[in-house]
Amino acid sequence: MAIEFGYTISKPRAIDIDRNNLRKSDEILREMPELQTCIGCGSCTAVCTAGNLTSFNFRRVHTLVRRGEYRGAYEEMNKCMLCGKCRLVCPRGINTRGVVLLLKRKLGDF
Amino acid sequence: MKKVIVIGGGAAGMQAALRLRARGVEPLVVERETETGGKLRGWHVLFPSFTPAGELLSELRRRVRESGIEVLTGATVTAIAPRRVTLSDGRCLACDAVVLATGFTLFDARIKEEYGYGIYDNVVTSADLERMFAQGRVAKADGTAPRRIAFLHCVGSRDEKVCQQHCSRVCCITGVKQAMELRRMFPAADVFNFYMDMRMFGPGYEELYREAQQRCNIHFVRGRISEASPTIDGRLQIKAEDTLTGRPLRMSVDMLVLLVGMRANDDNAALAASAGLARSASGFMAPRDLFLGRVSAPVEGIFYAGTVTAPKTLGETLDEATAAADAAAEYLKA
Amino acid sequence: MARRASWNEYQKQIADDRYYYGRSCIRQNFFPGSEKAFIDILHNDLGRDLLDDPKHSSCTGIGYHSDIVPLETIMTVVARQFSLMNEAGYENFVTSCITSFGVYTEVLATWAEFPETEERTREYLMKATGREFRKPASMAHTSDVMFHFREAIAAKARYRLVNAQTGEPLKVVEHIGCHYAKIFPKSGIGGSEFPYVLAGMVESWGGECVDYPERRHCCGFGFRNYLVQANRGYSIANSHKKLESMAPYKPDFIVANCPGCAMFLDKWQYTIAEMEGTTYGDNGRGIPVLTYEEMAGLVLGYDPWALGMQMHQVDVEPLLDKMGIEYDPAAKYLGANGKYIGKPGAALVNNCAADSVYNIKE
Amino acid sequence: MSFFAPFCLPFMIGAAVMFVLLAWKWGSWLWRLPEADKRLVAKGIFTRATPEAVWETVRESLLHRRIFRIDPLLGYMHMSLAFGWFLLISVGWIETVAYLGLRYVPLQGHVFFKYFATGLPHKPAFDFVMDLLLLLVLSGVALAWFKRLRSRALGMRRTTRHVAGDRVALSALWFIFPARLAAESITCALYGGGSFLTGGLGAWLAAHVGVMPLMTAETVAWWFYSSCLGIFFVALPFSRYMHIFTEIPLIFLRRYRLRSGEKQSSYDHFQVEACSRCGICIDPCQLQSVLKIDTVQSVYFLRDRRYGMLRREVADNCLLCGRCAEKCPVGIDLNTLRVNSRDALRNVPDERRYDYFQGLDRSSGEGRVGYFAGCMTLLTPRTMQSMERIFEAAGERVWWADREGGVCCGRPLKLAGETDSARRMMRYNTELFRKHGITTLVTSCPICLRVFREDYALEGIEVLHHSEYILRLIREGRLPLGRTTERLAYHDPCELGRGSGIYEAPRAVIEAVGELVEPAHTREEALCCGSSLANTAIDDGQQVALARNVAEELDATGAGAIVTACPLCKKALGRGTATEVRDLSEVVAARIRPAAGRATK
């Protein structure tokens, strides 16, 4: 019987690449290698129609996914309205709408 | 014929001597080592074109040899003056002008002991890696192939903690180049580059960076590694912040490559003192003017070529050597 | 070994004799035999002069690091300790607590960098107590002193840090308090990255240090992180991370040189076991945690119960057995006067069956 | 007369299999039609729609009028095969009647009448007509063979790469008529009869070949002819030739106003299987002509969908520009089928999505006229600014729906196949429009326009593209403009032109302010800018390549500026040319005569 101490061991916030399963992230990068060219400028997030209304941050979510942090990413990606403004501003020419659909497909288990 | 002593027989020194000879001046190259070439001897291929460094080195050496330029090797300079150079063995060489092309010193990665260079196996510097490439054999200390490799940019650059405020310019692109070479050598390996900024200022650099990302699938993580520690299976655990996600990040790697920066030579101080020259805050020689006198020392008759004044790429170094030689020749004409 | 070369770059002067001793506020509660053992070892085994001054007070470091005591106050308190030391005719200050050591080092460094703060402190001290002070000739932590005499202790050792059965060196996790050298790397032996103060003792006495990934990580004490219950999950997470990281190396014991670290690495093992059922040592037990004085005491043949080791959360008997130390199991809970001092309930961390665990609320 | 010989068997079996399969397919498709569609059929069947459908069937299924429009030779090829064969069958039928009177003759009796009729007296007129029709069909076959070698001569740069099943059916079809020629000629050689073709060939054979070899050859030839027919009939329901029969019900159902929608339905089968894989859709596809992608065109999409092997990469890789649908001889609604395929592949009904829409209203201003800029227009602020000036000059009070950011119109999601999510946006925006009580909704984005018109329930609100709205202002004299001689090249946005049928309004507006010039491909044939939201598969470089290609044509007009009426086209074209690209509203706003503008206030 576990004792109640009034607190629990905090879960680490660190991204642990060793523990994360990178299989999906590898698959995603294989299908969309250009996603690796993101330089984190944040243009996509700055123009984002959904980001204007919510805390949705496309750049952060896909960066986390590339590091194998999938939790919550699908739900976040579902905030995207696919309007395509991000694709028009990406200085690296990343097919961001394709990325959204790819992430939703890979992470939504459908 | 007027005589100019070129101190340093690396890329800058050789190029300056060649230009002086072309301008009808008699150069004498004084080299501390037993052969010419300087740092160029230690590189495998050159960014961003992957040109073998040996090609450039042998071409420069061939030109120097064919021009009949006199090279004094194994000679360390202790003091300079516009018309006199003093060697450590006490000899004084007379001349009409001096071109200082003594280059730089590689940052000693052991000073950043948290990265474990010299302490753990499989922590190597970018210079070590060039040597391994040149020998054609890159492997972990136990001889096996690395499966995950991390590069750390800015080791000994832009770091107040080791009194190196300046940017060494070449490490970013070197990191990209070496990451690509490793990825080609070990296609199954994951390569991570930890950077503070990616400074892709040169022609073809950004293109190479992009290729490294897209074609080679090299992971670029913005964040500086804080420390490396050994794991039970002989790997290294590294920690950093993935600043673009705002989360700490850790992982174990088989090999950690430290991209060591350029440091001012320790003897710059003595040379500067001997001739009354000024040094910049970073310890490199300060040129007469940052715009109109980039290759001239504040003292008439002393000229600078290459990385003695600041970190530079090889291309920039060679251009500057030409400019320094021209300036020296003009000075002698006057 | 070549790779250890860098450890030698950080050396410091440690006085050889005549120490003025500053006690820790909390150690007597958790490791009550340790400070006594230090005094005994210095007096009896090494024949050194050490003054345990009853007038010495708390350095107020806990208050300082919890944002309760201001900088001016703590400087004045520190100045008073120095004044007491001057008064007693000593000039080598040694302190038992890592927090205190950090405070003294920080105050001295501040005075060196900003002399006006020293001047102000002198005024405050004069106003408050009418005292004056001289700065100590040397400032050391007691683990520095123990390190200093490690070979002398090794020469007198009755036991060594080896497995009595197999003759193999014991695997030791050494943990250095953050404030020992992380604030001023030059203030500690071996610096902050590869501190050598405990490792040197372990090696001299026959043991072997474990170099595990989270070696430098904080135990989680962190003052406010522990003192505020809402933050305790964060505090324990730090110890948890260290224990997870060291466990694969199967260490025989942990040794620490900081009051808080020894306490947390010991007590959190109990908490983690009760929360999650996880233990990290042999046979489902916890990993024994020693102070360096206890370690030295054991090596010199002191009775474990005289060293206060019955007060540990994780039972030390398996370690004593491993080292081949003779002890009286029946005397564990008998005090110095032979009277029964009471006994803690059974705990998972000491491999007691789950159903025998008492409910702490009852 | 028994009308049976052993060689008839392959034909009889083949025909039986084909008719059973056809009946089963049509039956199940019709049976599974949604109730609403069935009601439409019931309503339409006794109206003008039916005779119109019959006429269209003749026009398109037999005469192939639409293919004639693409290329006369190609049209003749298809017509000679379809109409020729149809006449062979029907005249053959009449021939049988003429010979035998009105009596029951089994199917093979009609088809192999020449074989069975050897004992009857000849009717040379019929022999002549039948030979003439056979020659007509044979000329079509010859052209088809020739097209395999040189498709360009028949107006097609590229032809379809066929699957194995189609090749079998195709080979069988090509051999049917030469085999018939051979069989009938040999019979003529042995028994006389025939006209200039079979009779002539028969006479030549009789003169050169002995009777015994001819007897053997006759058996072989009729067997071969029957087998070709049998194989073709068995292969037909499984191959591209299913279109022969499917196009007929499709024409009827279309006349009864059945349409494909964003969800797949049974009606789609008629559209999908009506595709003849002629490959006419390949040439207009810019993915093919510019990017050399040749696996995703409508012909391949429909083929893959029909055989259940549609991959996401094929479904997604389409600009939905509609250039192929413009050309499709069967008139298949290619874009809608593509969208509902994407829906089948991707749509996830998740009611919790987009919950954040609740209580968002960042609109501003008041007025009966609402202006919806759309997401993309927020990246072309000149358009917004110009619209503001136009509204001001016309003295219009405007409600700005999304100047500070709003919810997307939903079309991008719909085009990607997430149709249920798109509906949530549509509901949200509809409520927003209703709440502010507008009577006119103006948008400068054709993507939004199309979804407003097609998918939103906006009864009582007139939806106008800004080109239409501006034209109305001009015609009503509310927008005094100064005309210049500046030459302006107009680019038709896909969603505005082919998508919404708006070609004239923007042109009229341009002519009001400058001189309109047109690129080589214009109106229905206009090229897509390449940045279509419908395509999530091509990369940035490919988008630029498409944009350059389009811009080249626009630049070739020598116009001073390129004008378009879509923010996305504007952004895309700007990447392909150095010429200035302006939105329609910009060229208008720049020509407003200021004094007059103020006067209306």
Side-chain angles (χ1 to χ4, degrees), chain D residues 233-254:
Chain D
F233 288 155
V234 171
L236 182 140
F238 304 105
S239 70
R240 55 190 294 221
Y241 297 104
M242 184 66 191
H243 81 270
I244 297 174
F245 291 108
T246 314
E247 193 182 352
I248 299 163
L250 174 66
I251 288 171
F252 279 81
L253 294 177
R254 199 158 50 203

Side-chain angles (χ1 to χ4, degrees), chain D residues 3 23 75 77 80 96 137 172 190 213 255 276 295 306 326 362 366 411 421 479 543 553 578:
Chain D
F3 294 116
M77 185 193 101
S80 64
T96 322
V137 177
L190 284 170
R255 288 276 169 185
S276 65
T295 51
R306 180 178 163 188
E326 256 335 289
R362 301 196 179 176
E366 277 180 15
R411 186 152 173 87
S421 299
L479 198 61
Q543 286 191 336
E553 278 195 358

Side-chain angles (χ1 to χ4, degrees), chain C residues 248-297:
Chain C
Y249 295 81
K250 302 194 179 309
D252 293 300
F253 69 94
I254 299 167
V255 61
N257 72 343
C258 169
C261 304
M263 174 172 98
F264 275 74
L265 290 170
D266 190 33
K267 307 280 191 257
W268 282 142
Q269 286 197 64
Y270 160 80
T271 313
I272 292 167
E274 300 300 338
M275 270 185 183
E276 303 194 322
T278 314
T279 52
Y280 296 98
D282 296 335
N283 306 321
R285 293 164 171 274
I287 306 169
V289 182
L290 271 55
T291 66
Y292 56 96
E293 295 104 325
E294 289 172 344
M295 177 168 75

Side-chain angles (χ1 to χ4, degrees), chain D residues 276-394:
Chain D
S276 65
R277 280 171 231 161
C278 62
I280 286 172
C281 55
I282 300 176
D283 279 344
C285 180
Q286 288 167 263
L287 298 184
Q288 189 280 124
S289 59
V290 181
L291 303 180
K292 309 297 168 211
I293 298 170
D294 58 0
T295 51
V296 302
Q297 282 70 26
S298 293
V299 55
Y300 302 120
F301 158 71
L302 291 175
R303 179 193 68 195
D304 292 355
R305 173 159 165 183
R306 180 178 163 188
Y307 297 129
M309 53 185 203
L310 182 62
R311 287 171 307 128
R312 211 179 296 269
E313 298 85 86
V314 172
D316 279 351
N317 204 349
C318 172
L319 299 161
L320 295 186
C321 65
R323 279 167 55 80
C324 56
E326 256 335 289
K327 293 268 197 286
C328 178
V330 191
I332 302 171
D333 187 0
L334 297 166
N335 282 354
T336 307
L337 290 176
R338 185 86 72 157
V339 167
N340 69 33
S341 272
R342 290 179 183 178
D343 170 87
L345 286 166
R346 185 172 286 127
N347 186 54
V348 194
D350 182 349
E351 275 306 304
R352 285 168 307 152
R353 281 192 191 185
Y354 305 108
D355 275 347
Y356 65 83
F357 290 170
Q358 250 87 55
L360 295 170
D361 185 353
R362 301 196 179 176
S363 61
S364 57
E366 277 180 15
R368 299 280 100 183
V369 173
Y371 174 70
F372 189 90
C375 304
M376 291 297 176
T377 308
L378 295 175
L379 285 179
T380 54
R382 282 208 193 97
T383 306
M384 292 265 268
Q385 200 182 35
S386 304
M387 284 310 291
E388 191 167 12
R389 289 180 58 195
I390 290 167
F391 286 133
E392 198 186 293

